[in-house]
Amino acid sequence: MSDPVSALNGASFQGFAAIREIGPLGMITLRAKGLKSLDKAVKAVTGTKLPAQRRIEVNGDRACGWMSPDEYLLIVPYGEVRDALASLAMSLAEEHHLAVDVSDARAVFRVEGERAAEVLAKLAPVDFDKLEPGELRRSRTAQVAAAMWQQDGGFTLVCFRSVARYVFDLLENAAH
C-alpha cells in the first residue's frame, strides 16, 4: 500500500463551525447479504457487530456502516486495509461476496461546533438536529453523493475524492 495522502492535504476552515479534512482513512466496501459468517468476519476486522439499516457501529478508529441492503462500509486504520481484506477473504472464502479497498477513492470531512448541523442543513435534505448518534444517512451534499453521521459532538461526511475540493468549498461557504 502506498503512503497515505489525503485528498486536500488536511484542509481546514474555521467559521461558525469548524470544517476539516480527516483523511486518509482505510475504507472497504463490502458487498454481501445473508451470509452465515458475515457477522463474525466484520467483527474480526472492525470489532463491531453488523449495523442495522441506516446505522453505523463505531469502535474507536474502526467502524462498520450500513450503506444498502447488501453493502457495508468498513473503516479501519489506513495501513491495515490489506490485512483487513485478507481477513475478510479468509472468513468469507466459501461465500459469495465482494470486498474492495476504496480508501484512495474517498475523502472524509468533519464538521464540528454548535452550529455544525446548520452548515450541513444548508447542503443536504436531512434534519440534522434529529440525526441521532449512530444513525448513518446517505444523501446529497448539493449535487454530490455523500454519507454522513453524527459522532463525538460533530458530523463526519464521506464523499468521492474526485469532488473533495468542491465539497470542502461548499462546506466552507456554508460555514461563513
Side-chain angles (χ1 to χ4, degrees):
M1 193 169 222
S2 62
D3 289 336
V5 178
S6 66
L8 302 176
N9 297 315
S12 64
F13 173 78
Q14 182 63 52
F16 65 79
I19 313 297
R20 63 187 170 92
E21 181 193 23
I22 61 165
L25 296 178
M27 289 184 259
I28 297 169
T29 292
L30 175 61
R31 304 239 21 172
K33 186 174 182 179
L35 306 183
K36 294 180 288 185
S37 52
L38 187 57
D39 285 322
K40 188 182 269 187
V42 167
K43 187 163 185 91
V45 170
T46 64
T48 70
K49 63 182 182 177
L50 277 178
Q53 182 175 343
R54 286 187 36 210
R55 304 294 297 177
I56 185 165
E57 297 290 335
V58 179
N59 178 26
D61 59 356
R62 298 168 185 275
C64 180
W66 182 93
M67 301 299 278
S68 73
D70 71 342
E71 180 183 356
Y72 300 93
L73 176 66
L74 282 66
I75 299 172
V76 299
Y78 188 88
E80 296 180 23
V81 170
R82 183 174 291 159
D83 291 340
L85 286 169
S87 175
L88 291 168
M90 186 178 299
S91 297
L92 302 173
E94 301 298 318
E95 302 184 81
H96 182 70
H97 74 283
L98 173 70
V100 179
D101 177 2
V102 295
S103 307
D104 294 332
R106 304 288 187 264
V108 186
F109 300 97
R110 283 288 293 166
V111 182
E112 298 171 308
E114 288 183 25
R115 297 174 68 187
E118 185 179 332
V119 169
L120 290 169
K122 290 179 179 183
L123 304 172
V126 175
D127 187 348
F128 287 97
D129 289 328
K130 294 191 177 169
L131 190 70
E132 302 170 3
E135 184 178 356
L136 185 143
R137 195 58 72 88
R138 290 183 76 178
S139 188
R140 297 263 176 209
T141 301
Q143 294 301 312
V144 175
M148 52 209 83
W149 60 91
Q150 182 185 27
Q151 179 184 348
D152 301 330
F155 296 88
T156 301
L157 183 143
V158 177
C159 66
F160 289 108
R161 183 184 183 103
S162 61
V163 293
R165 172 51 61 189
Y166 174 69
V167 170
F168 181 82
D169 291 347
L170 287 170
L171 292 166
E172 179 181 347
N173 186 52
H176 269 282

